[in-house]
């Protein structure tokens, strides 16, 4: 089974930055996806960003385009999410996700989830 170790959550002021990391292990798929979703209290879980191993393509949810960047360190089996210019609306629990194949915005398309890391943005 795929397992994740998530880290990097914390508390920042609006306009600040955080970098989340997700280290994955236990998978052998030739083509796979590692991505990030987030969920704020009272809201549905939404897609944030996604990385496809097949061609290195990346995707971003509309609210974070231009502010967040996803990248991979293949040697460490780690995907990073660099979050810049954070806004109060970005406050949520961020979850690392995995599936074989290609990116999808739907939460139901993913096989496994990390435990989540909390991001707080406030003055």
């Amino acid at each position: 089974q795929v397992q994740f170790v998530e880290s990097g959550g914390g508390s920042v002021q609006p306009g600040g930055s955080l970098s989340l990391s997700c280290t994955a292990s236990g998978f052998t798929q030739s083509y796979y996806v590692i991505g990030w979703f987030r969920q704020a209290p009272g809201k549905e879980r939404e897609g944030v960003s996604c990385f496809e191993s097949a061609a290195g393509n990346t995707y971003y949810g509309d609210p974070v385009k231009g502010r967040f960047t996803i990248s991979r360190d293949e040697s460490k089996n780690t995907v990073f999410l660099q979050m810049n210019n954070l806004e109060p609306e970005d406050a949520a629990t961020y979850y690392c996700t995995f599936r074989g194949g290609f990116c999808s915005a739907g939460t139901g398309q993913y096989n496994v989830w990390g435990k989540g890391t909390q991001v707080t943005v406030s003055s």
Side-chain angles (χ1 to χ4, degrees):
Q1 294 181 336
V2 178
Q3 298 181 8
F4 300 110
V5 177
E6 298 163 297
S7 64
S11 180
V12 299
Q13 296 181 344
S17 298
L18 286 172
S19 181
L20 308 182
S21 65
C22 175
T23 300
S25 63
F27 64 92
T28 59
Q29 288 87 341
S30 298
Y31 304 105
Y32 62 90
V33 167
I34 299 178
W36 292 93
F37 283 69
R38 67 186 183 185
Q39 187 168 25
K43 297 184 178 180
E44 296 183 354
R45 192 169 297 184
E46 64 176 354
V48 176
S49 187
C50 187
F51 179 93
E52 294 180 344
S53 71
N57 293 332
T58 59
Y59 302 90
Y60 300 92
D62 288 338
V64 308
K65 288 180 179 178
R67 300 187 297 118
F68 291 9
T69 303
I70 192 169
S71 62
R72 179 185 66 171
D73 185 339
E74 186 173 5
S75 66
K76 299 180 179 179
N77 297 320
T78 300
V79 170
F80 301 93
L81 183 67
Q82 179 65 45
M83 306 186 295
N84 296 327
N85 194 24
L86 285 161
E87 304 170 353
E89 292 76 14
D90 297 316
T93 301
Y94 284 70
Y95 298 90
C96 188
T97 67
F98 175 89
R99 65 167 290 181
F102 302 90
C103 288
S104 172
T107 60
Q109 303 300 315
Y110 289 83
N111 302 115
V112 296
W113 299 83
K115 295 182 179 180
T117 184
Q118 185 70 41
V119 172
T120 301
V121 185
S122 65
S123 300

